[in-house]
Amino acid sequence: MKERIVIVNQAANYLTIGFCNAFKLQFREVCLITGSIHVQGESLDPEVQVRYINKWRERPARKKLTSYLLACWHIVRLLRTKYRKHEVLFVSLPPMAYLLNLLVPNRCSMVVWDVYPDVFKVTGMRETHPLYRIWRRLNRKSFKKAFRLFTISEKMAELLGQYTSQEDIVVLPIWSIFQENNRIARDQNPFVEAHRLQDKFVVQYSGNIGLTHKVEVVVRLAELLRSHTSILFQIIGRGPRVPYLRAMVEEKGLPNCVFLPFQSDEMFPYSLSAADLGVVVLDESTSKGSVPSKSYNLMSFGIPSLYLASEDSELMNYTRRFGHGRCFRDAELEDAAQFIQELARDREKWSSYSRNAEQAAENFRRGNADRFVEAYIK
């Protein structure tokens, strides 16, 4: 059995918990440095030691950046003192935390599921920007020093290849919150009843609505299909762009597009079950650098997917490999609207996509956490 490892994520979720529990089976001591723990499904092994730091602040942007920098200070301090003899696995937040391996003597590894600084292109940042250039140089140094460098898709590995040899990158997929298809039948779903969805074909976007999330494409689809009264678009989530999107819907007069806040953990399975088609949106400038975890939750419930992303995204690869949905570029929204109509009127076609989604979900189960550990210690 291995000795000691500390896992770092400022906002620990079900994936971080899965990593901790999987490593606990192989390491004598597992510690977690985090600002918060959000349990969805799997609980954290009580033998995992938790060291709390400051919480991640989602907004406003100034407080988010401050929370990142303060967390980095705490992490460096802890790795240089309390955990100086531990191996380290950086996961997710703060997004620059993995660069701290340049400042500490520990053997460090990282799981990359958003590629920085590339994601900054969504904001219009150019590769010539000083921050972009500095981060790019630091990536090369950090990845060269890393013990293990994990990412979650082949396309992301291609993108990381600009910073390090692809031979040094371990590609392993993550997993869904749900480990089996527990989708709630429509006639037994209180969310469906509360929102009067019994006779609607529900096209649902559920997730963050931040400055980098181009959710307006959902509004544009609702506009294209405004005459199809049986098709309803739901936008569920929160973020700074919600007021803008609400104003957009009001200006266009779209009764077929509604907004709801994030649902509680208890209600989430019910709201997800209400979707006939799940929407996942990635900005085309950064589609190679991310795979939203909601993609796997949709698969687990056998819900067909509508991806709005670039041709070279992992989401496009998924549709070609699994046949559980379709992927369209921004310039192909009319084709996307046609796809929605086809699924809404052809139940047999919808069922075929649904079966494919459920089969695809078998590739994204909790056992993938154990595969990460196996690849780490081999």
Side-chain angles (χ1 to χ4, degrees):
M1 180 172 283
K2 292 282 187 177
E3 286 298 309
R4 293 175 288 187
I5 189 168
V6 59
I7 296 173
V8 180
N9 191 348
Q10 190 181 7
N13 63 0
Y14 76 97
L15 294 167
T16 311
I17 290 171
F19 285 132
C20 288
N21 292 348
F23 273 96
K24 189 66 186 72
L25 297 175
Q26 300 293 337
F27 279 73
R28 181 175 60 82
E29 181 181 308
V30 175
C31 305
L32 171 63
I33 297 177
T34 186
S36 63
I37 301 175
H38 183 195
V39 177
Q40 289 178 288
E42 183 177 6
S43 297
L44 185 66
D45 187 320
E47 293 189 4
V48 173
Q49 302 174 29
V50 180
R51 177 62 168 85
Y52 285 100
I53 57 174
N54 62 296
K55 291 184 178 181
W56 170 62
R57 297 292 297 270
E58 184 176 1
R59 59 185 186 274
R62 177 179 57 82
K63 290 187 176 181
K64 177 190 286 190
L65 177 58
T66 301
S67 77
Y68 285 160
L69 296 177
L70 181 58
C72 286
W73 180 82
H74 283 303
I75 292 164
V76 168
R77 177 178 59 83
L78 288 167
L79 295 183
R80 283 182 169 273
T81 55
K82 184 178 179 64
Y83 301 113
R84 64 185 181 277
K85 295 183 179 180
H86 287 62
E87 298 179 38
V88 182
L89 179 68
F90 291 103
V91 182
S92 189
L93 295 177
M96 71 289 285
Y98 65 89
L99 298 175
L100 299 177
N101 76 326
L102 297 172
L103 302 178
V104 298
N106 312 63
R107 184 163 80 170
C108 296
S109 301
M110 54 212 62
V111 182
V112 177
W113 55 51
D114 288 301
V115 181
Y116 285 87
D118 301 69
V119 297
F120 288 142
K121 291 179 180 178
V122 174
T123 67
M125 182 183 290
R126 297 184 178 182
E127 294 186 12
T128 55
H129 190 284
L131 176 60
Y132 197 107
R133 294 168 62 186
I134 291 169
W135 200 316
R136 183 166 52 190
R137 286 198 298 269
L138 291 175
N139 271 352
R140 294 192 179 103
K141 293 180 180 180
S142 177
F143 294 158
K144 183 177 181 180
K145 186 182 177 185
F147 172 61
R148 294 279 187 264
L149 173 59
F150 296 98
T151 194
I152 63 175
S153 76
E154 295 294 343
K155 288 295 182 179
M156 292 178 72
E158 288 180 16
L159 193 57
L160 289 171
Q162 66 186 301
Y163 304 116
T164 190
S165 170
Q166 284 191 244
E167 295 179 356
D168 297 329
I169 302 170
V170 181
V171 180
L172 288 170
I174 51 176
W175 57 96
S176 169
I177 294 172
F178 308 103
Q179 295 306 295
E180 55 187 20
N181 187 351
N182 289 323
R183 191 180 187 201
I184 296 97
R186 182 154 291 201
D187 60 356
Q188 300 173 13
N189 190 333
F191 182 88
V192 169
E193 183 176 357
H195 298 282
R196 300 179 181 180
L197 304 175
Q198 292 88 343
D199 300 320
K200 297 292 186 181
F201 183 88
V202 178
V203 182
Q204 185 185 97
Y205 174 89
S206 180
N208 290 317
I209 310 173
L211 298 176
T212 61
H213 299 92
K214 295 182 64 176
V215 185
E216 62 265 31
V217 293
V218 179
V219 177
R220 289 164 61 192
L221 284 169
E223 184 177 20
L224 289 172
L225 295 173
R226 66 191 307 162
S227 63
H228 296 264
T229 56
S230 64
I231 300 175
L232 179 71
F233 291 82
Q234 278 187 338
I235 298 176
I236 302 175
R238 63 172 178 264
R241 302 194 71 238
V242 171
Y244 165 76
L245 294 172
R246 284 185 178 275
M248 188 177 175
V249 168
E250 185 175 350
E251 179 184 344
K252 295 178 181 295
L254 300 176
N256 62 334
C257 186
V258 299
F259 292 84
L260 291 170
F262 264 137
Q263 302 299 295
S264 66
D265 288 348
E266 294 74 22
M267 183 55 66
F268 178 52
Y270 295 96
S271 64
L272 183 63
S273 295
D276 293 290
L277 183 64
V279 180
V280 181
V281 180
L282 286 177
D283 190 282
E284 290 190 16
S285 64
T286 60
S287 289
K288 288 180 72 172
S290 182
V291 183
S293 59
K294 66 170 69 73
S295 312
Y296 311 118
N297 295 334
L298 292 167
M299 292 179 189
S300 284
F301 273 25
I303 299 170
S305 293
L306 170 61
Y307 298 145
L308 297 163
S310 66
E311 183 79 15
D312 64 349
S313 66
E314 191 68 23
L315 295 180
M316 177 64 84
N317 279 359
Y318 283 171
T319 61
R320 290 168 175 165
R321 178 181 173 188
F322 301 125
H324 66 298
R326 295 279 305 278
C327 184
F328 300 92
R329 295 180 293 110
D330 287 353
E332 299 172 327
L333 286 189
E334 291 190 1
D335 294 332
Q338 182 64 37
F339 174 63
I340 295 170
Q341 292 179 69
E342 290 174 2
L343 292 192
R345 65 170 176 256
D346 190 337
R347 197 63 186 177
E348 185 175 338
K349 178 174 285 190
W350 181 92
S351 295
S352 176
Y353 279 103
S354 176
R355 287 191 297 271
N356 290 345
E358 193 170 357
Q359 291 171 8
E362 295 302 319
N363 296 277
F364 308 104
R365 297 300 191 200
R366 165 59 175 78
N368 289 349
D370 301 314
R371 294 175 59 198
F372 273 88
V373 178
E374 291 169 4
Y376 181 91
I377 64 178
K378 71 175 183 180

